Amino acid sequence: MTPQTSLRAYALSLLAATALSVAACSPKPATETIPAKSAHMDTGERIITQNFTADRFTQSNYADIAVTHIDLDLDVNFYAKILDGVATLSFERITKGTETLVLDTKGLLIKAVSVETENGWDTAERTMGTEDPVQGTALSIDVGPSATKVKIVYSTSPEAEGLQWLTPEQTAGKKEPYLFSQAQAINARTMAPLQDTPAVRLTYSARLRVPDGLLPLMSAEQLGQQEDGSYGFNMPQPIPSYLIAIAVGDIKFKAINDTIGVYAEEYILDRAAEEFSETPQMEVENEKLYGPYRWGRYDLIVLPPSFPYGGMENPRLSFLTPTLVAGDKSLTNVVAHELAHSWSGNLVTNSNWRDAWLNEGFTSYVENRVMEALYGKDRAVMEQALGLEDLKRDVAGAARPSLTQLKFDDDLKHPDEAFSQVTYVKGQFFLNFLEDRYGRAAFDPFLKNWFNDYAFKAATTEDFLEYMERYLKPSNPDAVSEAEIKEWVYGQGLPDTIRNPKSDAFDKVAAQSASFVSGNIAASGLKTEGWSTHEWLHFLNGLPKVSSAQMEDLDTTFKLTGTQNAETAFAWYMQSIKNGYEDAFPDMEYFLKEVGRGKFIYRLYGALKDTAAKENREDWQFWTADVYEEARPGYHPIAQRRIDDILGK
Ligand code: BES
Ligand code: ZN
């Protein structure tokens, strides 16, 4: 919800209040702040509410004035490692009389600011606040009583956390440099001055000038090269700032069908198009369940290996790690995931990072439904079971118990804390719980309506609970108790009502594993024929401490060290650390220097550090520090910050 729609709606709701017959009676959070403002809206058929919780990760005054459009006119300067140019922002006053526009910036060099007046552009009064290490620096602009546009001449910092600048040597092609962005959660402010909160939606347009031979792309309609040599972009649907994205490099394109294709460096283009060839079917299944895809084209871009995530749901153009290109389509659930965000996240957006499960939990649920539709129940259930294993680990290892809640307390130090498996998998399993209790016949159309009624809005957890109360509960009033819902959403740890994904394939793997672990059979006796990546992951993740001889036996039998499937390699290296199997370390070192995907490297560095400390392995401490020192310059700034933290640098 943008505050302005909230307030407009709120005003309307006052007029309509007497006509409202359905009372909101959602379970209220025990430790929650009461929403400052709430609004009711009538969609025609249904009534929706919008509760407002202030976003503490923005310094902008977005409740009083809302930016509705940003136009970017930027040089992409690879020598200085900066974006350099002009941002023109259009805004609307929500609170009458607001004469100051406060924007988020981080590391930006602000060169000039002007406001539009009847006589053209006038220099504006502006002040920069004091810098906060997480939030950055607020830029306050005096916009007077009536202006609706500001122009800001600025450049980014070479250290911008949202941008990674790669030298030609750091790319596969070795000839051209590369740039890519990562704005989620709060790094859009390192790319441009704006209101960096998911509660505000804006459209955007852009012109980028790049060196000859490079192709720039954005999370928008690609308008191609213009007469003046620049490249044009347009995003006509309003999106939250964290979905603004850019990639520039020696990038080629291959179509999968008329509306879906893959961008990548040449070396991996054909393999990527083949790996992701089922994306069109994923889109079809998604639409069958939740209604039309509303964003025009859907393309994928395979980024360099330092991309710190598996995928990022930038609208019209999901960003992906090359580690998904395994050769056997075994890791394509990440594509299903990023595509699913076109409904959960990009269309209906968490209004606050405290509500991140509305993005990631919903998306994990939708992802799994699409995987089931496409590949069948067995694969879907295996993926649920693997998720649950990860969830249990994250719940047990949570830094604070409050981080095991779906709706987070107001105690997040950084939005990063909101993105453990709690948000993803506990969120997913909550929706599974509702699906089990109400049945798909009721739950599927309910969820489809949710995406429709909240389309292009931001939502809070409380909005969802109220919507459920109105439109799901009546289908079966006794299906779920209020206490059960409260426990799921505001409670800590895992409820007893959590679904137990039962996979026959995994049961067989577990039986094999038990006889291997107890020494009944050697590695060569394991019946692994036909094991999918999923079964291997279940086997490897489930291994307790085993002997060095057993590790060696597994490795010589199955050639696990150096395996090309990044997920399998990661699981094996985790076991190698736990079991002190140093034969795997040279390949693990190569992996750590090659791959920058956070999911893998944060846990590898963490395990190396903890195991070295626990077992007094000073040699491992030195080894880890050396590997990191060499690898660090190649990592994305986000990964650098996270691993600096993990290793206590
Ligand atoms: N939106 C996330 C990535 C993200 C989260 C970026 C938090 C910045 C802050 C994306 O949709 C995602 O969840 N990616 C997952 C893949 C998924 C299958 C769980 C990943 O990167 O591993
Ligand atoms: Zn996601």
Side-chain angles (χ1 to χ4, degrees), residues 206-217 221-233 263:
R207 276 165 312 290
L208 298 179
R209 282 167 297 279
V210 300
D212 279 349
L214 296 189
L215 179 66
L217 298 166
E221 187 186 346
Q222 326 285 337
L223 301 176
Q225 193 160 24
Q226 311 292 301
E227 258 171 34
D228 66 357
S230 70
Y231 286 80
F233 304 90
Y263 291 95

Side-chain angles (χ1 to χ4, degrees), residues 18 35 65 105 140 152 180 264 286 389 408 415 420 482 492 509 560 564 589 596 608:
T18 47
I65 190 166
T105 77
S140 303
I152 302 166
F180 65 87
N286 237 312
E389 290 166 16
F408 291 118
S420 78
E482 198 168 310
Q492 302 177 344
V509 170
L560 290 163
Q564 288 310 296
E589 175 176 349
L608 281 163

Side-chain angles (χ1 to χ4, degrees), residues 16 35-36 48 86 123 135 144 165 271 364 465 491 496 518 536 570 575 583 613:
I48 68 170
V86 184
T123 302
Q135 299 259 14
W165 301 84
R271 278 188 286 146
S364 300
L465 296 184
D496 297 335
S518 66
W536 274 108
F570 165 68
Q575 290 304 329
D583 287 5

Side-chain angles (χ1 to χ4, degrees), residues 21 35 37 41 85 102 146 179 183 188-189 197 226 240 262 342 378 430 444 446 467 491 510-511 579 600 609 611:
S21 55
K37 304 159 190 142
M41 259 190 273
V102 187
S146 55
L179 164 70
R189 65 192 69 179
T197 167
Q226 311 292 301
V262 185
S342 307
D378 290 353
F430 175 45
D444 289 357
F446 162 75
Y467 193 78
N579 288 298
F600 302 146
K609 184 190 166 173
T611 315

